[in-house]
Amino acid sequence: MYEDEYMAVVNKPSDMLSVPGRNLDYSVYTEMKKRYPNSTGPLLVHRLDMSTSGIILVAKDNDTHGKIQKQFIDRSIKKRYTALLEGEYDLQTKKKHGDINLPLSMDYINRPMQRVNFDEGKPALTSYEILEVSNGRTRIHFYPKTGRTHQLRLHAAHEMGLNIPIVGDDIYGQRDERLCLHAGFIELMHPVTEEVISFTVDAPF
């Protein structure tokens, strides 16, 4: 999608790992390492679930990685995900916009599942905007304010969240052709020029 001397932006397809797994080496990281063999540092500044498609930022050196990572830590980076929900959101009785604030922790008995945990969970906050409700499904934009594992998937599916799982979520919903969750927009400050830059890629569903 984008490349300069310091960083690159890639559009990860669904069912591709961000980093190598135990039994599968093919990933965004390994492909970027081949493309940039002289790079230093971890390369990937953040990750997406294997089933999630969309934008990933790549840093070509340690200094760039640190500067972008700090923006994630400071929560100054703006992100937007598009999803399809397996059910119709009731716009007659519920707000079109809202926030979901449910702390999450690992479900150690049912890994890799996460669970809502008000006692020991880490803060997890998601804003959302309903785009369209039709034919038994809901198109939605998610704006995560934190970056917990499975945050959007669980905030969608949990009865205290939207109570409607994302289409194709084989952990919190039902398996389908793919998980209909896509990281389609990101805005950040360029790590060197300090110019505000943004990238958009349409959801493939």
Side-chain angles (χ1 to χ4, degrees), residues 32-50:
M32 291 300 100
K33 196 64 179 175
K34 292 176 186 176
R35 186 179 180 93
Y36 309 117
N38 298 320
S39 62
T40 60
L43 277 174
L44 301 192
V45 187
H46 61 123
R47 305 178 186 182
L48 295 176
D49 288 345
M50 181 177 181

Side-chain angles (χ1 to χ4, degrees), residues 132-144:
E132 181 185 16
V133 179
S134 64
N135 299 319
R137 290 182 170 178
T138 301
R139 183 171 290 270
I140 187 172
H141 276 163
F142 286 119
Y143 304 89

Side-chain angles (χ1 to χ4, degrees), residues 48-76:
L48 295 176
D49 288 345
M50 181 177 181
S51 300
T52 303
S53 58
I55 298 170
I56 290 184
L57 302 179
V58 179
K60 295 183 179 181
D61 58 78
N62 268 317
D63 188 51
T64 299
H65 186 276
K67 288 178 179 178
I68 300 177
Q69 188 176 58
K70 186 177 186 302
Q71 294 182 60
F72 274 101
I73 294 171
D74 294 342
R75 297 178 184 173
S76 60

Side-chain angles (χ1 to χ4, degrees), residues 2 6 9 18 31 42 44 63 67 69 93-94 99 108 114 127 130 132 151 179 181 192 199 204:
Y2 172 84
Y6 308 99
V9 182
S18 294
E31 292 305 297
L44 301 192
D63 188 51
K67 288 178 179 178
Q69 188 176 58
T93 61
K94 298 178 181 179
D99 296 308
Y108 292 100
Q114 306 293 303
S127 297
I130 304 299
E132 181 185 16
Q151 176 175 319
L179 175 70
L181 179 62
V192 177
F199 305 94

